[in-house]
Amino acid sequence: MTRVAVVTGAAGGIGGAVVDQLADDGWRVIAVDVREDELAARAAHWPGHVLAKAADVRDREAMAEAVALAETEFGGLDAAVACAAVIAGGTPLWETPDEDWDALFDHGVRGVFQLARAAIPALLRRKEPRSGRFVALASAAAHRGLWHLAGYNAAKHAVVGLIRGLATDLRGTGITATAVSPGSTRTAMLDATAELYDLPDVEEFARHQLVERLLDPREVAEAVCWLCGERSSAITGTVVHADGGFTA
Ligand SMILES: NC(=O)c1ccc[n+]([C@@H]2O[C@H](COP(=O)([O-])OP(=O)(O)OC[C@H]3O[C@@H](n4cnc5c(N)ncnc54)[C@H](O)[C@@H]3O)[C@@H](O)[C@H]2O)c1
């Protein structure tokens, strides 16, 4: 049976790669992001497979609409992938402005919560035996302290906590909840991180990974898409580290 996903952050580097890979694997996808033009361009590559839904993950109603679209247009929901987040930092924790802290938690944690609130009831509406999947992007920052990124560290630890709790609430349903923690991956967010550190480019980040290079977003998407599939049924309440050995 054709599987159906909602993916947030779908105009971004990793979210975009997840949309492309799921669509290429035959999935139907509701692609969610606030960046309407980039979203529309991606959806245009996959006519009939990918529908763009311009929406803010902080908005409970908008997440409900995205999930409703999956059910009305594609007949149900099998996976929800939370990629949307922002980066902020560049100062020690005690100098972090409230706006930075709030942005990290509103987009990066509340957004995951809002997606889960909308998506889990739809995943539960699938008939048994279910194979629903909820996958959230955490980070190597959920497992290591990173200099001048303590707010991001805290938000990403919160994502892992949310996933652990959610997986417990889903016990026995056939639906799993997992996090993927990427290492440094060549996307706009990594560019923004280099700027926070006043680095001339992103290449410096490569030396922290055992693979001695930056990851391509498609490599992270491989792990996410595998978790979305029926074959990942043994894995729930935990983290897959797609980090090139960053946290090894
Ligand atoms: N790139 C990396 O090195 C890296 C490393 C570890 C974890 N991550 C995580 O991977 C995920 C994807 O990051 P990326 O590198 O692809 O970043 P990205 O900046 O390329 O993409 C993020 C996307 O999220 C969207 N977004 C942000 N706030 C939103 C909101 N409120 N509503 C809807 N959309 C919103 C943005 O418009 C953007 O398109 C994030 O959760 C990030 O924290 C990235």
Side-chain angles (χ1 to χ4, degrees):
M1 201 182 68
T2 303
R3 284 171 71 84
V4 183
V6 172
V7 179
T8 73
I14 294 170
V18 169
V19 171
D20 287 347
Q21 195 172 313
L22 288 176
D24 202 35
D25 289 346
W27 286 64
R28 302 293 183 269
V29 183
I30 306 297
V32 176
D33 206 291
V34 284
R35 296 193 295 145
E36 290 191 38
D37 293 348
E38 293 86 343
L39 200 57
R42 173 151 271 114
H45 278 290
W46 301 102
H49 283 244
V50 177
L51 280 182
K53 166 72 180 165
D56 192 314
V57 293
R58 295 169 294 179
D59 180 344
R60 182 179 185 176
E61 265 310 301
M63 290 306 98
E65 286 167 17
V67 168
L69 210 52
E71 294 190 304
T72 55
E73 296 299 316
F74 296 138
L77 188 70
D78 301 289
V81 184
C83 296
V86 297
I87 188 92
T91 59
L93 178 70
W94 57 94
E95 291 172 16
T96 298
D98 283 353
E99 309 86 86
D100 283 9
W101 183 269
D102 290 345
L104 288 163
F105 277 79
D106 279 353
H107 297 265
V109 186
R110 182 184 295 273
V112 181
F113 167 53
Q114 297 295 20
L115 180 65
R117 270 213 293 209
I120 300 296
L123 296 173
L124 284 166
R125 281 193 282 276
R126 284 295 206 199
K127 66 176 185 345
E128 295 185 55
R130 300 187 196 89
S131 59
R133 305 283 180 254
F134 189 88
V135 184
L137 271 290
S139 171
H143 315 283
R144 293 281 183 282
L146 299 180
W147 185 67
H148 285 182
L149 286 176
Y152 187 70
N153 280 140
K156 288 304 186 181
H157 276 72
V159 170
V160 173
L162 183 156
I163 287 297
R164 289 208 171 103
L166 175 59
T168 307
D169 290 343
L170 287 168
R171 65 180 303 142
T173 62
I175 301 167
T176 64
T178 52
V180 172
S181 285
S184 294
T185 308
R186 215 177 270 284
T187 70
M189 188 178 284
L190 197 63
D191 294 337
T193 311
E195 275 176 36
L196 291 176
Y197 285 147
D198 281 329
L199 292 169
D201 59 44
V202 294
E203 303 310 323
E204 150 74 19
F205 296 119
R207 71 182 175 86
H208 301 285
Q209 308 192 145
L210 295 182
V211 292
E212 294 191 336
R213 60 175 176 78
L214 298 177
L215 297 174
D216 184 285
R218 288 170 297 191
E219 296 179 274
V220 178
E222 285 285 349
V224 173
C225 294
W226 181 75
L227 285 171
C228 287
E230 290 172 287
R231 292 183 178 188
S232 66
S233 52
I235 302 175
T236 192
T238 192
V239 180
V240 170
H241 297 268
D243 68 2
F246 189 115
T247 55

